[in-house]
Amino acid sequence: MDFFQRALIGGALIAAAGPLLGLFLVLRRLSMIGDTLSHVSVAGVAAGYLLGLGSPAAGGMAAALLATLAIERLRKAYKTYAELSIAIMMAGGIALASLLFSLDRGFGVNITSYLFGSIYTLDTADLIWIAAVTILVLAAVLLQYKEWFLMTFDEDAAAVGGLPTRTLNLIMSVLTALVISVSIKIVGALLVSALLTIPAACGLLAARSFRQSVLLAVGIAEAAVLAGLLAAGYWNLAPGGTVVLLLIAVLLAQLVIKRRLSL
Amino acid sequence: MPTGRIPEGPGCHQPVIELSDVSFAYERRPIIEHLHFTVRERDFALLAGPNGAGKTTLLKLIVGLLEPDGGEVRLFGEPARRFRQRERIGYVPQKNAFNPLFPATVREVVLSGMYGRHKLFRRLTKADYQKVDDAMQALGIEDLAGKRIGMLSGGQQQRVFLARALVNSPALLILDEPTVGIDAETQDSFYHLIRHMHQHHNITFLMVSHDRERFRSYLDDAPAAEAGRLKFYVRHSHDREDCVETDLTHSLREYRRAAEEPALVR
């Protein structure tokens, strides 16, 4: 397998897992969580290098998981200022990352590749991680589609109906952290949340039913990621940026068409 | 929905909601103090009070989402916090409880009435889907099945949520301010339907509302219990002899035909 094939496979996998979770996050008004977790995750990667961990990506994953638990805590403690705790963690994460990267110039990598992604450097171990996380997400959505739907649509009814809302919330948060930490190498920390939220926005705009919006979000993300990677490879563009701009173009086109139709 | 007889006589006046000496404080401010109250099978209970009086808190205590600081809450004879047969409770939320842009169809919303604890991680059966179709038909919303919930009028949405609450043939139906933001005419037809259900079925009602006037003729004049500015009014069922349960969907269909109710669905 050459580097470009690995990039396409990794991209295709994450284009399924990201929007699936993203749709639930957007509908629960948690769009910002993606950014926060990705920023903290970069700090974890840097810490991983500094501590000499065999796999710095594991540092990123651990940091994202810790951050997600911290956010759950903070959300409960400061209900009215939930978004404030998210903003602080986001800034703190990137500040810590830049500091850690500046401590040691012998990393052999620079922070840019984590901020903007380096999909062409995916190795087989990365792909295995991405595949494992994608399978986890698909399995979770298939198994808990009903429960996640009700929790997202009407959390009170879910609680009255006796669903274990805390556990379900925790599963969703942990999966989000995992998806984000494995996506960083693909589109970069600055753009990860775009991969979660923009396909969801496209799905919400065009779909009639919830099922349709799930399928549309994943379909649009797959198309944009594959087309974006091919275009970026052909014209030698930044792959993460190309994919995200394509997604935004799809969203804008949808908005224009919708407006035309309603006139 | 199941048809059948349940034991006649006192057998159908068992306590459904029991509050004994319940106290609850929020951030050290006592909201409920030493409240005693019982709702029995087939009673119609109204929980009234102005905004901020603690209606939502009390509702959460009753359904076991909050633990009282003192006293005990029981549901169907079991401690509310440990009550597991959640499908026996039907719940109609406040109108503004959901995001109007949520991409769910009427059918998906009614179906979600099946998504409680008893179906956790289980697949729905053919019979479940049939119940959903029956509930939609009974409330006259079958033609709206494919429409997005946010596109419906307030009255139509209310029927969708009522259908969702009825899919499991609940023994206790909880309605949280069900008609806020709905025009008077639609409110009338909604309450007419609720009264029909109360009079012809083995359903216990707990309605939360800031508007007691609307129920004045239907309930006892004096409150059965009070806690601060919260008041409980009840229409007791012990004067009623019949404990026979009729088929809910069949009877609702008959009701629609007989009343020739104003077409909510055009």
Side-chain angles (χ1 to χ4, degrees):
Chain A
M1 235 191 310
D2 70 7
F3 74 95
F4 198 73
Q5 285 169 320
R6 282 199 295 272
L8 284 177
I9 294 172
L13 287 170
I14 225 62
L20 272 179
L21 278 171
L23 187 64
F24 289 100
L25 294 179
V26 167
L27 285 170
R28 306 182 73 201
R29 304 184 189 274
L30 296 173
S31 309
M32 292 295 285
I33 286 219
D35 279 312
T36 312
L37 294 182
S38 66
H39 288 42
V40 175
S41 189
V42 177
V45 170
Y49 275 116
L50 266 185
L51 297 172
L53 291 182
S55 155
M61 203 172 267
L65 284 172
L66 281 177
T68 198
L69 298 178
I71 290 173
E72 285 285 306
R73 270 275 163 91
L74 288 171
R75 275 207 313 145
K76 261 172 223 142
Y78 307 103
K79 262 191 179 153
T80 28
Y81 296 109
E83 73 275 15
L84 187 61
S85 59
I86 287 181
I88 291 172
M89 286 190 76
M90 185 151 98
I94 214 70
L96 187 61
S98 62
L99 194 83
L100 291 175
F101 269 100
S102 71
L103 280 181
D104 186 343
R105 287 169 186 81
F107 286 157
V109 278
N110 58 33
I111 189 169
T112 345
S113 72
Y114 285 93
L115 292 183
F116 296 103
S118 53
I119 191 168
Y120 298 142
T121 66
L122 285 184
D123 55 29
T124 312
D126 291 328
L127 271 191
I128 291 172
W129 269 111
I130 294 170
V133 169
T134 305
I135 289 169
L136 271 181
V137 170
L138 288 175
V141 171
L142 284 176
L143 274 174
Q144 305 171 44
Y145 179 85
K146 305 196 311 296
E147 289 74 19
W148 284 14
F149 173 87
L150 186 55
M151 282 223 326
T152 309
F153 179 66
D154 185 348
E155 195 155 5
D156 285 344
V160 174
L163 289 184
T165 47
R166 269 167 140 184
T167 312
L168 292 169
N169 266 325
L170 188 68
I171 294 174
M172 206 184 279
S173 307
V174 167
L175 287 175
T176 308
L178 290 177
V179 165
I180 283 172
S181 58
V182 298
S183 313
I184 284 183
K185 243 187 158 171
I186 296 186
V187 283
L190 294 179
L191 295 177
V192 162
S193 77
L195 201 56
L196 268 68
T197 53
I198 302 175
C202 296
L204 292 181
L205 211 55
R208 244 189 176 183
S209 65
F210 188 70
R211 186 172 286 269
Q212 248 181 36
S213 57
V214 171
L215 296 174
L216 268 173
V218 173
I220 289 170
E222 288 290 350
V225 164
L226 295 178
L229 288 180
L230 289 171
Y234 192 78
W235 284 297
N236 198 19
L237 306 167
T242 312
V243 167
V244 171
L245 284 176
L246 254 180
L247 281 172
I248 292 176
V250 172
L251 186 65
L252 288 177
Q254 277 183 295
L255 284 170
V256 169
I257 292 170
K258 201 157 192 183
R259 180 160 281 195
R260 279 277 160 85
L261 286 179
S262 64
L263 277 181
Chain B
M1 293 181 194
T3 314
R5 293 169 73 87
I6 63 163
E8 297 196 20
C12 62
H13 299 301
Q14 297 297 316
V16 174
I17 301 169
E18 292 167 276
L19 280 75
S20 37
D21 201 24
V22 168
S23 298
F24 186 81
Y26 183 71
E27 287 176 352
R28 296 205 181 157
R29 193 168 59 91
I31 295 179
I32 293 151
E33 285 179 298
H34 307 294
L35 179 64
H36 288 270
F37 187 66
T38 303
V39 179
R40 292 176 178 277
E41 257 177 274
R42 315 193 73 182
D43 283 354
F44 189 105
L46 175 73
L47 169 55
N51 287 331
K55 296 194 293 279
T56 306
T57 305
L58 189 50
L59 198 57
K60 283 188 171 170
L61 284 166
I62 289 173
V63 294
L65 298 183
L66 284 177
E67 178 112 57
D69 296 330
E72 196 183 28
V73 181
R74 287 179 167 262
L75 271 176
F76 297 98
E78 282 178 52
R81 293 282 282 176
R82 292 209 300 274
F83 180 68
R84 291 287 175 261
Q85 291 169 288
R86 292 280 158 179
E87 69 279 9
R88 295 179 75 183
I89 305 174
Y91 172 70
V92 179
Q94 293 191 15
K95 181 175 170 279
N96 56 6
F98 77 99
N99 169 4
L101 295 176
F102 200 99
T105 60
V106 166
R107 197 183 158 73
E108 284 177 316
V109 173
V110 178
L111 203 54
S112 76
M114 289 280 175
Y115 293 174
R117 183 188 174 82
H118 66 303
K119 291 285 178 186
L120 190 61
F121 305 136
R122 283 192 212 157
R123 278 180 157 267
L124 297 187
T125 62
K126 244 187 183 161
D128 293 333
Y129 286 103
Q130 188 58 49
K131 285 182 194 169
V132 169
D133 286 340
D134 287 349
M136 286 197 294
Q137 227 173 46
L139 286 164
I141 52 169
E142 68 270 28
D143 293 341
L144 301 173
K147 284 241 157 69
R148 238 168 120 144
I149 181 78
M151 311 275 278
L152 271 50
S153 72
Q156 289 171 331
Q157 283 176 5
Q158 213 39 258
R159 295 212 159 204
V160 174
F161 283 101
L162 190 57
R164 180 180 78 164
L166 293 178
V167 287
N168 289 312
S169 305
L172 170 63
L173 191 56
I174 297 175
L175 303 126
D176 189 0
E177 302 266 13
T179 54
V180 167
I182 293 176
D183 65 86
E185 200 179 323
T186 314
Q187 280 191 28
D188 285 343
S189 88
F190 185 76
Y191 286 126
H192 205 259
L193 175 66
I194 295 291
R195 277 171 66 155
H196 170 88
M197 282 166 53
H198 178 236
Q199 280 162 355
H200 294 86
H201 303 286
N202 278 313
I203 300 180
T204 307
F205 281 82
L206 175 63
M207 167 106 61
V208 179
S209 176
H210 62 275
D211 178 18
R212 199 211 143 205
E213 285 311 303
R214 183 168 276 283
F215 301 92
R216 188 172 282 284
S217 63
Y218 200 58
L219 300 165
D220 290 349
D221 275 339
E226 288 181 64
R229 290 181 296 161
L230 287 176
K231 289 185 170 62
F232 271 111
Y233 297 91
V234 187
R235 184 188 182 96
H236 288 291
S237 58
H238 29 248
D239 52 329
R240 288 162 56 178
E241 308 264 303
D242 56 321
C243 291
V244 184
E245 191 171 8
T246 44
D247 183 318
L248 184 60
T249 46
H250 173 75
S251 141
L252 284 178
R253 237 172 282 150
E254 289 302 308
Y255 163 79
R256 284 175 59 208
R257 207 167 297 153
E260 284 186 4
E261 58 160 351
L264 276 162
V265 182
R266 278 182 247 273

